[in-house]
Amino acid sequence: MSGAEPKVTLDLALASGLTGEEYDRIIRRLGREPTFTELGLFSALWSEHCAYKHSRIFLRGLPTAGPAVLQGPGENAGIVDLGGDLALAFKIESHNHPSFIEPFQGAATGVGGILRDIFTMGARPIAVLDSLRFGPAQDPRSRRLIEGVVSGISWYGNCFGVPNLGGEVGFAPEYAGNPIVNAMAVGLVSKTRIFRARAEGPGNPVFYVGAKTGRDGIHGATMASATFDEGAEERRPTVQVGDPFTEKLLLEACLEAMETGAVLGIQDMGAAGLACACSEMPARASMGMEVELSSVPQRETGMTPYEIMLSESQERMLLVAARGREEEVRRVFAKWELDAVQIGQVTDDGTLRVRMNGAVVAEVPVKALTDDAPVYDKPTAPPGWQDALAAFDPLTLPAPSDCSETLVTLLGSPGIASKAWVYRQYDQQVGINSLVMPGSDAGILRIKGTGKAVAVTTDCNARFVYLDPRAGAAMAVAEAARNLAVSGARPLALTDCLNFGSPERPEILWQFKEAVAGIAEACRALDIPVVGGNVSFYNETLGQAILPTPVIGMAGLIDEAERRRTQWFEQEGDRIALLGPPAVSLGGSEYLWVMHGKMAGGLAPLDLQLERRVHEACRAAIAAGLLRSAHDCSEGGLAVAVAESCVSGPRAIGAAVELPDDGRRLDLALFGEGPSRVVVSMRPEAERHFERLMGEFALPWTWLGRVGGEAVNVRRGGETILSVPLEKLDHAWRHGFERHVA
């Protein structure tokens, strides 16, 4: 072993993010004290970010199999069958901690990392999406974070050349110290050319390909596995620096090398860099690996083995090639002016052996770093305030004196208003496959050479999850599936990004456990498997945790791309209907938060079988050519859904709505929220066919009114209860978010 490294002590292990018990466990496993480089390996691979040591016990309950699933969890990305020779690879990841410390590079490298997860599977990326959360929009610190994050996402995606097809932006005080930056990517792959992150075949060469290694990002995985304190913004060295132009070259080189047949396995050097790739690839194949660090291309001088192994420099891959075909790999990467250096080989002894100039600096069983990482079953307990929040009755608050002004205020609130300021900065047309751009319920891409299309979305109402983690998380799955259904798509699978506070707090771990159970319940009821995802814990600063935010990324298939639908009304005289039940709760609603500053109340009940029938009925009506538009009724309730349908399209168009006189309070009828509700419009001649079809699905629905006019008018019992000129609604919606950031 090398004697040039610092002596490892318990204090050093604790400073590296390990616990005393974990350090003892390492000593027992090795039969000796670890070297400094070995300590680095364990601190990274046993971090929460890599090992999922607090979450794995709960994630086992998620359904991961389904008729369309070709690759489930455990690889760089999940893959689902699109029919014929084509499949879709997709994944979502978090870059929350880096984006708080350095918003631009943190967000940019989040996009770069998720794109690499896609093309390591052999897929060509065709779209990215994002799910973002910040503190109050009017807070100058939030504005700085928003500007930096959006610029970083835009710069990387636009330079790489992949369209951004949507996502979501939310706000709450709980995100002020910990923004959420989740990035999702999707790609197309031939079913015969799927690659996996496995190091197989003793003697096969191990190649380092891509950009050179520097000192950026060291301790990135460990940093993502700890809460923040007042010195958080001083941790800039742990944030990687991205180069999208190099990544574009890396994409083309990797796909070309894969085409030669010389590549047997490949993994992105993401979290924990070489340490992770050199451990996980052989572990998956029950192999070992030997590497020589002096061969690793470096852009800084005097780097130590510890630094080289733990660097998270971007745009790098570890690749296992077939023995005897080394020159083919070198030739391809030389063509794209990228490093491709053999740094080691696969072994059959199950050991990761790391050398520096021939001297062994680390020698560890790969299973000790991966499969044998600790798994914790820590105590969980609901927080003491949970029952009181759920018991609060929003109807004890005064009803609005002016429903028209309330609608204008809601439509102009940052959470609901148009996010065009964000997505205008993204290229949506590159690749010329985009059929529906950001601004509708889902982004839609054509699959070239077929009549099909892919629909993609991200969704989560964190207030719902905070008030009832199990039901709220199930509702996130239901809403994402509804976003696809209103577009005409059938969900194939989902990927999740589970953003929570510290799992070492029983109430946070309870939120997580309940949320995962809710996701599993909804997935089983809706037949939507989970093919991958990410857990992001420790999202809290100075003891303030974020709202529990299990973001759902979902992909679906539209068999006839020309049948796709969007959310906006199109034609005067069209009939408007509401699928699903009337609102029965204001709990957790946007109305309650914006108008009363309260996040409380019981949620509307979620009937997953009814939810499923609503999706099926909506898809059937779209497939039959009956609907001109369909829009998920979610934040802001029915009034906001109708108003969005009026103003979010290419041209603003009014609507006249008649609500049933059922005695409900006006704010509940107009602004109450709940699952399983969709606002649709259709040609007058389609009405009778639509009525018969809804009868077949045995679900509650009602006629609402007609499209047309220069205002949104709502009547009940013969009395006008809301009337707002289109121009006023349009202005509120288009400028409500932008006025805080422009």
Side-chain angles (χ1 to χ4, degrees):
M1 296 286 178
S2 169
E5 297 181 326
K7 168 140 178 71
V8 174
T9 63
L10 174 59
D11 287 344
L12 193 54
L14 296 174
S16 300
L18 294 164
T19 67
E21 183 183 333
E22 288 168 351
Y23 181 57
D24 288 343
R25 184 169 171 173
I26 291 167
I27 293 174
R28 289 196 304 272
R29 185 68 172 84
L30 297 179
R32 56 177 170 79
E33 288 188 336
T35 68
F36 184 57
T37 300
E38 289 169 343
L39 180 69
L41 294 176
F42 278 104
S43 71
L45 271 296
W46 284 17
S47 69
E48 185 65 47
H49 192 72
C50 293
Y52 286 33
K53 54 193 178 185
H54 288 92
S55 60
R56 208 184 305 180
I57 191 170
F58 305 115
L59 298 176
R60 291 169 182 156
L62 294 172
T64 58
V69 176
L70 300 177
Q71 176 62 59
E75 275 289 339
N76 286 306
I79 299 182
V80 290
D81 193 344
L82 294 176
D85 179 50
L86 283 177
L88 190 78
F90 66 109
K91 175 81 175 293
I92 191 168
E93 282 271 6
S94 63
H95 238 224
N96 305 339
H97 284 64
S99 298
F100 176 66
I101 295 168
E102 214 303 302
F104 182 90
Q105 286 294 350
T109 51
V111 174
I114 200 65
L115 288 169
R116 289 194 301 279
D117 282 341
I118 298 305
F119 67 79
T120 41
M121 303 300 294
R124 179 174 291 276
I126 57 171
V128 294
L129 299 89
D130 47 67
S131 181
L132 313 175
R133 302 288 189 284
F134 301 99
Q138 58 271 27
D139 183 340
R141 185 170 59 165
S142 295
R143 195 174 306 129
R144 179 185 68 83
L145 288 169
I146 293 166
E147 289 171 352
V149 165
V150 170
S151 295
I153 292 170
S154 165
W155 172 72
Y156 207 102
N158 293 356
C159 293
F160 180 86
V162 64
N164 188 308
L165 278 200
E168 48 173 357
V169 186
F171 304 91
E174 290 81 2
Y175 300 110
N178 264 96
I180 285 183
V181 178
N182 293 175
M184 175 177 167
V186 297
L188 288 176
V189 61
S190 164
K191 284 190 278 194
T192 61
R193 306 297 295 173
I194 294 172
F195 285 78
R196 292 177 171 84
R198 296 172 65 88
E200 295 181 301
N204 281 329
V206 175
F207 276 86
Y208 171 115
V209 300
K212 290 178 168 55
T213 292
R215 289 187 170 92
D216 54 321
I218 295 172
H219 294 306
T222 309
M223 181 264 292
S225 305
T227 57
F228 281 155
D229 52 27
E230 289 175 336
E233 291 176 330
E234 297 169 10
R235 300 192 192 183
R236 294 184 191 277
T238 58
V239 178
Q240 311 93 323
V241 177
D243 179 355
F245 301 106
T246 297
E247 178 130 333
K248 174 63 172 172
L249 297 177
L250 184 60
L251 161 73
E252 300 299 344
C254 285
L255 294 183
E256 187 173 327
M258 290 167 173
E259 281 291 321
T260 67
V263 177
L264 302 179
I266 184 168
Q267 178 160 330
D268 168 36
M269 284 188 238
L274 263 173
C276 193
C278 291
S279 307
E280 291 182 346
M281 287 187 76
R284 290 190 184 102
S286 297
M287 292 281 119
M289 186 177 287
E290 188 166 303
V291 294
E292 172 54 64
L293 297 185
S294 62
S295 300
V296 171
Q298 298 162 52
R299 65 168 186 260
E300 299 186 46
T301 59
M303 290 189 72
T304 65
Y306 182 98
E307 291 173 327
I308 296 169
M309 288 299 288
L310 271 75
S311 167
E312 293 184 14
S313 293
Q314 296 289 283
E315 295 88 38
R316 305 177 304 153
M317 301 281 193
L318 197 68
L319 179 156
V320 175
R323 190 167 31 174
R325 304 187 69 176
E326 294 86 348
E327 201 49 47
E328 291 176 70
V329 173
R330 292 189 187 99
R331 195 181 307 122
V332 169
F333 283 88
K335 169 187 169 182
W336 294 97
E337 299 182 342
L338 293 171
D339 285 316
V341 179
Q342 183 176 345
I343 64 167
Q345 62 182 11
V346 179
T347 63
D348 62 2
D349 63 1
T351 298
L352 171 60
R353 193 168 292 104
V354 182
R355 300 180 188 273
M356 184 70 166
N357 297 315
V360 175
V361 294
E363 195 167 27
V364 183
V366 292
K367 298 285 188 182
L369 294 167
T370 56
D371 298 22
D372 295 346
V375 175
Y376 293 128
D377 186 2
K378 292 284 186 75
T380 67
W385 39 257
Q386 196 79 38
D387 291 344
L389 275 185
F392 175 78
D393 182 2
L395 295 180
T396 58
L397 296 169
S401 57
D402 187 335
C403 291
S404 298
E405 282 306 309
T406 300
L407 175 59
V408 173
T409 301
L410 280 175
L411 210 58
S413 65
I416 288 177
S418 168
K419 307 304 184 298
W421 180 88
V422 173
Y423 59 73
R424 274 200 309 264
Q425 300 182 52
Y426 304 152
D427 191 335
Q428 296 122 34
Q429 294 282 22
V430 61
I432 61 169
N433 294 318
S434 307
L435 295 175
V436 175
M437 265 69 81
S440 195
D441 287 303
I444 302 178
L445 292 138
R446 75 165 55 83
I447 306 173
K448 282 181 181 172
T450 76
K452 300 176 181 179
V454 169
V456 287
T457 188
T458 61
D459 220 297
C460 178
N461 187 322
R463 281 199 289 268
F464 284 1
V465 185
Y466 179 74
L467 294 175
D468 186 335
R470 185 178 293 231
M475 285 184 182
V477 174
E479 185 171 350
R482 210 178 313 129
N483 287 339
L484 299 188
V486 298
S487 307
R490 171 174 48 87
L492 295 173
L494 69 80
T495 177
D496 52 38
C497 200
L498 309 177
N499 306 274
F500 288 78
S502 170
E504 295 165 40
R505 293 166 56 187
E507 67 272 21
I508 300 292
L509 200 57
W510 175 82
Q511 289 177 336
F512 182 85
K513 177 187 75 170
E514 289 291 296
V516 171
I519 291 170
E521 184 182 342
C523 286
R524 289 193 177 91
L526 301 175
D527 282 339
I528 303 172
V530 179
V531 294
N534 173 236
V535 175
S536 177
F537 276 138
Y538 297 100
N539 291 287
E540 56 181 78
T541 297
L542 298 174
Q544 173 62 65
I546 61 166
L547 297 180
T549 314
V551 174
I552 304 298
M554 198 176 288
L557 183 65
I558 302 175
D559 291 319
E560 296 180 68
E562 297 310 308
R563 293 286 192 185
R564 67 189 182 275
R565 293 294 88 193
T566 48
Q567 71 180 38
W568 42 84
F569 296 148
E570 293 186 2
Q571 192 63 48
E572 301 229 0
D574 280 357
R575 194 81 182 267
I576 306 168
L578 172 69
L579 308 191
V584 296
S585 175
L586 286 167
S589 65
E590 194 80 13
Y591 163 80
L592 199 59
W593 174 251
V594 172
M595 304 307 296
H596 295 283
K598 290 193 76 69
M599 180 169 53
L603 305 183
L606 171 61
D607 179 339
L608 285 164
Q609 293 311 311
L610 172 60
E611 182 76 43
R612 181 170 180 150
R613 292 199 302 276
V614 169
H615 300 182
E616 291 170 347
C618 196
R619 276 195 297 271
I622 291 171
L626 302 180
L627 301 187
R628 193 122 52 182
S629 74
H631 182 25
D632 168 32
C633 181
S634 54
E635 285 91 344
L638 179 60
V640 165
V642 170
E644 288 175 333
S645 299
C646 291
V647 301
S648 62
R651 68 183 182 101
I653 186 168
V657 168
E658 181 80 32
L659 294 183
D661 192 4
D662 54 11
R664 285 179 302 150
R665 219 169 77 164
L666 289 181
D667 50 356
L668 177 58
L670 292 168
F671 310 118
E673 297 178 18
S676 317
R677 304 200 301 156
V678 174
V679 172
V680 302
S681 69
M682 70 205 75
R683 300 170 180 82
E685 56 268 28
E687 291 177 20
R688 298 185 78 174
H689 189 172
F690 177 79
E691 286 179 332
R692 287 196 301 272
L693 189 63
M694 292 305 104
E696 291 176 19
F697 284 96
L699 55 86
W701 70 279
T702 183
W703 291 117
L704 282 180
R706 293 200 181 273
V707 176
E710 296 298 319
V712 170
N713 292 302
V714 181
R715 293 168 60 83
R716 189 171 79 166
E719 177 187 350
T720 297
I721 57 173
L722 184 155
S723 181
V724 189
L726 262 184
E727 186 178 352
K728 189 172 184 179
L729 288 174
D730 188 69
H731 184 271
W733 182 74
R734 293 191 185 281
H735 300 285
F737 169 73
E738 196 166 310
R739 65 192 166 96
H740 293 294
V741 292

